[in-house]
Amino acid sequence: MGMASLREWLRRFCETVRPHRDDSDLEQELRLHSELAAEEALRTGRAPEQARRVALIHMGGIAQAMEALRDQRGLPWLDELLQDLRFALRMLRKHVAFATVAIFTLALGIGATTAIFTLVEQVMLRPLPVVEPDRLWRVGDRVGCCYATGYGQNEWRFFPWEAYKLFRTNTPAFEELAAFQVGSALLGVRPQGSGGAVMTANGEFVSANFFKTFGVAASRGRLFIDEDDQKGAPPVAVISFHTWQEKCGEASSVVGRVYQINGHPVTIVGVGPRGFFGAKVADSGMPDFWLPLTMEPLIIGATSRLEDPRTAWLDLIGRVRHDANPRTLEAQLQAELHAWLASHQADMTAEERAGWQKQTVHLAPGGAGVSLMRMTYADGLRLLLWASFCVLLIACANVANLLLARGLKRRDQIALRAALGASHARLVRMALVESLMLAVSGAAAGIVVAYAGTSVILRVAFGQPNTWVPVSAAPSTLVLLVALGMAMVTGVVFGMAPAWMTSQVDPIETLRGVNRSAGGRRHWAQKTLVIAQAAASLILLSAAAMLGRSLHNLEHQDFGFDLSGRYLVKINTMLSGHNREQLVPVFTEIEDRLRAVPGVRRATAALYAPMSGFSWRHDIRVVGKPERGPKDDVSSAWTRVMPGFFETLGNRIVTGRPITDEDNTTARPVAVVNEAFAKRFFGKENAIGQHFGPASRRKAGVYEIVGVASNVRYFADFGRPVGPLYFVSEAQTAVFDEPSLQAREVGSHFPYSIVIWAPGHPPDLEEQITKTLADFEIPMYDVQSYAEVIHADYGQQNLLASLTWLFGALALVLAAVGLYGVTGYGVEQRTGEIGVRVALGANRGQVVMMVLRGALWPVGIGLAIGIPAAIAVGQLMTSQLFDVKPSDPRVLFVATLLLVMAALVAALIPAHRATTVDPMVALRHE
Amino acid sequence: MGTLYPGLMRLEQRGLVRSEWSVTEISRKARFYTITAAGRRQLAAGKAEWDRMTLIMHTLLQDQS
């Protein structure tokens, strides 16, 4: 194609939009031409009439020539497209009600899907907002909480500081290798010199090159330099941009200010980059402050893990060099791990020594960071995405039905067009352009719906004060593109069939004025859509019913104690400034004061109480039992309690005795175990008097069992039976050789929970508790009744069930509206027939039955397809379900009942309208 | 006419001819088409191509006989 034809194309393109010469101008030229030809003919001596005829034949008709000229002037296809667009717009404007219903329906469908996809994109797909995230690799490929002890992780995912330093020096394939703590450190923060209350915040200990590894720069002040991460360096911290914005109002004066963090003066040297939230994506504990690793002993104190080679508490992410091969790198890291393990053979347990050569480490892509959110929410999000697709499908079916019905009404118009020479292709395209326009408008409205919906979801899920998640409702470009793509696809899907069917009009038949032919195919298309809608709604409703049932079961399961009248107070004694020796007297006094509140029967502190969200766990050994095999699960949860704990909670002691005031420093360390513990480790033997402990064999028998308590559920893990748990005394401290065990032994003395038994439900309970704890300077988070605690524990399941119900309700309403539309249209079409029937003696009941039968049999088929499909979907959902069978008749009954009720209502209205048909009017109409 | 005018229009769109409304010597309104410089070049190129083609054909046909 030469320049000339390119130029022609451009001219034609421009002329399509804005013609250079209008039609009358062209026509004038043609007319003049034909006149000249006629004159010419006259001159050659023909009769005027004949001359004109010759000229006309010669010119082949002005109209045809004009058509050819017009085609040459612009680009015909573009011209026609613009025509179609203008026509579609005019049609939509003319039928506002139709357009509104269609766009609203699509907005709900596309909005629901886009809202969920906004979350999916951020939680599942988006990389960290850092430089070249695809060059980041993570050492270890599993996500978890919160640290690991010993040399036997098997597949290593967390690392001690010592191993990190070794990797960092010996692995040149890493441009930088950063370490950051797993989980977060609770900090008590207050500005230096102010007497204000201590604010709680999340800290994260990171290596000095943490920010450098991600290639990010400070937005104020500076980030860490190597000198900050040296022992004895002046304590410094970097505040996250988000926290700076929320808590400090973006004040630049924060940089350089000194804060008391856990009682130690720390200088804030800088503010993190905007949008940077660290390398973890979690739904709680996102860091407010970053602190150098070497500050950990200072800030954490006795339970410091920095120097202990047995405690793996760091996640590692490195930036690899451009030419590095991940596979070679992985092999090298594995070799380095083995070399490091080899140097620790001396302090390994016998079992670790046997297995250290089998330890492995994997390299995994680290561009998305360490996403706990992905792990937690993946299943739920996937389910919601499917649910929203169902809603979208139903919405599409509705719009398709609307278009079909309208296509029937427009049949004569279309027949006229066909008769005037419009091609099938053109008619189909016209209808498609219209449906695409609807879809794009629907998508635009849907994006607004999605933004609102996502905002609400985020507020409900993570709206608690002091919780921040790195997820926002604002749609990204990808989300917008997907929404638009969805609109295009749905536009074609719901527009294609109606468009094709409308174009299949036989002009003769229609123009004959017969608007009575029912159009069997169309009839079928409409019914099929209703069947699909009914089936999809049923699946969604039954999924919602199953999740709702599961949530109900979770919240009403047997927790092993009576929830009513019991309250949980969440505190942080670590931040109070009390030392360990003061804790027993302090809490004895607190308990006495709380017990004096009218309506309160008992109050007891514990390291953590049931369902409080905490979990401490050890592998244990029992004296006199054989060493465990590599596959045996010998782990047990444990907690530390004040005397009176079991009475306060209402936890029955099955045999032996509870922990009492006598179990203090002067007595031997004792433990009470739960029934699950006794059963797992002693079977039918008597557990009382047995010795066990978390230490290696030499000191295995540190605790003597004095009692067995009935099982109480402590963790919101679902579906699993209550596992082993033991209780030790707040007033006793065992002595261990291993520093990591010793650190935990000491750390566990700081209670995080107070359980209150207040059957009188005193109205001023929270006020009294707040006042009492303030007197002892113990930071308190909240007071909740146990029913509220349980509800919050299953918040995610609750949200999942609620959203599925919402989608189910949406689907049901849309399907009902669809059925109503189809039935109403059917009645309208059959007015004449109904008139004849009534004239021949049919009564109201027979007419109603006729309409209902016609409306409900597709719903019946929908049910027949939907019920087995719902059961199948339930099978796929079992990981989300607690104590609910997919074929649970109650669930299916509820879903079916809802659907049938909605269908009845939707069909009864037009059925009723059918009975009002006056036979005289109907027949005269014929 | 259905061929002539679209052809003229195509030439104009390619910038090979120019047209405008004017009046003939017998005072009739008419649209005048003028060849442009680019048109002249295109004509020359086309003519050369044509000459070459006829020459080839001529030579070929002579060889045959």
Side-chain angles (χ1 to χ4, degrees), chain A residues 8 25 29 33 39 72, chain B residues 5 13-14 21 28 33:
Chain A
E8 175 193 342
D25 191 79
E29 187 177 356
H33 184 117
E39 282 168 30
Q72 174 62 36
Chain B
Y5 280 93
Q13 282 163 340
R14 292 183 175 191
W21 285 109
R28 286 185 70 127
Y33 287 83

Side-chain angles (χ1 to χ4, degrees), chain A residues 850-863:
Chain A
M850 183 186 80
V851 175
L852 280 187
R853 224 181 3 254
L856 293 183
W857 71 256
V859 176
I861 297 184
L863 280 175

